[in-house]
Amino acid sequence: MRQPELHGLYAVTPDTDDGATLLRQVEAALAGGCRIVQLRDKCSRMHERVARAHALRDATRRHGALLLINDDLALCQLVDADGVHLGRDDGDLRIARAILGPGRILGASCYADLDAARAAIAAGADYVAFGAAFASPTKPDAAHAPLALYARAKTELDSPVCAIGGITVDNAAPLIDAGVDLLAVITDLFSAPDIEARADQYQRLFAKARP
């Protein structure tokens, strides 16, 4: 199966105590057309995190989607995920690239810093993420990444660009128009009354923007 491109809705999992519900939610997002999922788990114990990662690995494979792991190279390797996403304090990108090898995806959080993005790409990152694009319920104290930053990133950087932070279907269009390749969404996706339909809405925004 051809690997999905780094484009479209990027579902980032919410914190939850209920792994079974999380799996159903991710399955719904995948059914709605999402083809990139990140397991971001900051609250569960290691055995539960491993179980969730295995379950999501199986689900993403069934749907021909990518699974990335937030901040855990070892877990990525253990479940044969497609890659890892690292923040500023989550480890050295060059070391991560060496461990992952050329076949897996490395993403990097660059906040609102184009120079950090350039350094990340030089270190081997496959995509760079900027945020918060809008006020974020997940990280309310996050620095703001203005719309102009995303447009500059697409012009100046040879890399897919991801936006994260407070994104909804109602405010996403200007980001896509600015050239953003990936919209990383947590709350507006997984708190939606119909997750499958919400995922489809995001994918339609991208399809509408394509020539």
Side-chain angles (χ1 to χ4, degrees), residues 3 6 68 82-85 93 96-97 100-108 117 120-129 158-162 181-182:
Q3 188 181 81
L6 294 175
L68 276 67
D82 297 292
V84 69
H85 182 93
L93 290 170
R97 178 80 278 164
L100 290 171
R104 287 194 171 100
I105 296 164
L106 176 60
I121 294 166
D126 295 294
Y127 72 87
V128 289
D158 185 20
S159 171
V161 171
C162 174
D181 302 280
L182 294 160

Side-chain angles (χ1 to χ4, degrees), residues 21-166:
T21 296
L22 179 66
L23 178 59
R24 288 195 296 271
Q25 291 175 324
V26 171
E27 291 267 18
L30 292 167
C34 177
R35 289 297 173 263
I36 309 171
V37 176
Q38 181 189 129
L39 174 60
R40 181 184 183 274
D41 188 340
K42 302 293 186 180
C43 64
S44 67
R45 296 185 178 184
M46 180 53 70
H47 72 278
E48 174 65 17
R49 197 173 306 148
V50 171
R52 292 180 185 188
H54 277 298
L56 294 186
R57 173 70 290 185
D58 290 343
T60 50
R61 278 185 173 146
R62 288 196 303 274
H63 287 270
L66 298 169
L67 174 65
L68 276 67
I69 307 295
N70 179 275
D71 182 27
D72 197 329
L73 275 165
L75 184 57
C76 173
Q77 300 285 83
L78 178 65
V79 303
D80 194 26
D82 297 292
V84 69
H85 182 93
L86 299 180
R88 178 167 45 208
D89 302 317
D90 295 337
D92 186 281
L93 290 170
R94 292 187 185 278
I95 293 173
R97 178 80 278 164
I99 293 171
L100 290 171
R104 287 194 171 100
I105 296 164
L106 176 60
S109 292
C110 300
Y111 310 98
D113 190 338
L114 278 173
D115 287 337
R118 293 186 182 95
I121 294 166
D126 295 294
Y127 72 87
V128 289
F130 297 99
F134 305 100
S136 169
T138 304
K139 292 187 176 183
D141 298 324
H144 176 55
L147 186 63
L149 177 72
Y150 295 100
R152 279 191 65 193
K154 281 307 296 180
T155 300
E156 299 178 19
L157 305 178
D158 185 20
S159 171
V161 171
C162 174
I164 190 168

Side-chain angles (χ1 to χ4, degrees), residues 9 28-29 31-34 169 189 194-206:
L9 173 63
C34 177
V169 290
L189 176 63
D194 186 333
I195 294 172
E196 180 177 343
R198 182 58 50 85
D200 179 68
Q201 284 180 288
Y202 276 103
Q203 296 298 73
R204 287 177 182 271
L205 286 175
F206 279 97

